[in-house]
Amino acid sequence: MVDPASIEDSIRKGLACTHLEVRGDGAHFEAVIVSPSFAGLPRVRQHQLVYAALGDRMREEIHALSMKTFSPDEWATR
């Protein structure tokens, strides 16, 4: 079973984050991710950066990941 903390660790290793929360039940997860890398990028590209940080885990371990991505400026004004 996949632990939300291990997903956080993988995301942090592959993407600079100023805020990160991951919740889930072992198969389905929700994440809130704030990264300066997201600034100026469309949501699709932001999500691709998260998928790249997770690598093969998305195909092999994580069955569903719902995410909300924000740049630090977007996060501050939400």
Side-chain angles (χ1 to χ4, degrees), residues 3 10 34 36 41 43 51:
D3 179 45
S10 292
V34 182
L41 296 178
R43 292 274 180 246
Y51 292 139

Side-chain angles (χ1 to χ4, degrees), residues 19-50:
H19 180 83
L20 177 59
E21 298 173 42
V22 179
R23 295 182 183 159
D25 63 8
H28 300 90
F29 299 91
E30 296 177 355
V32 176
I33 307 158
V34 182
S35 174
S37 300
F38 298 154
L41 296 178
R43 292 274 180 246
V44 170
R45 184 66 186 119
Q46 293 174 6
H47 290 198
Q48 288 171 339
L49 291 175
V50 176

Side-chain angles (χ1 to χ4, degrees), residues 45-66:
R45 184 66 186 119
Q46 293 174 6
H47 290 198
Q48 288 171 339
L49 291 175
V50 176
Y51 292 139
L54 291 168
D56 290 338
R57 294 190 74 186
M58 281 304 300
R59 287 185 292 278
E60 298 169 4
E61 299 175 50
I62 302 165
H63 298 288
L65 175 64
S66 171

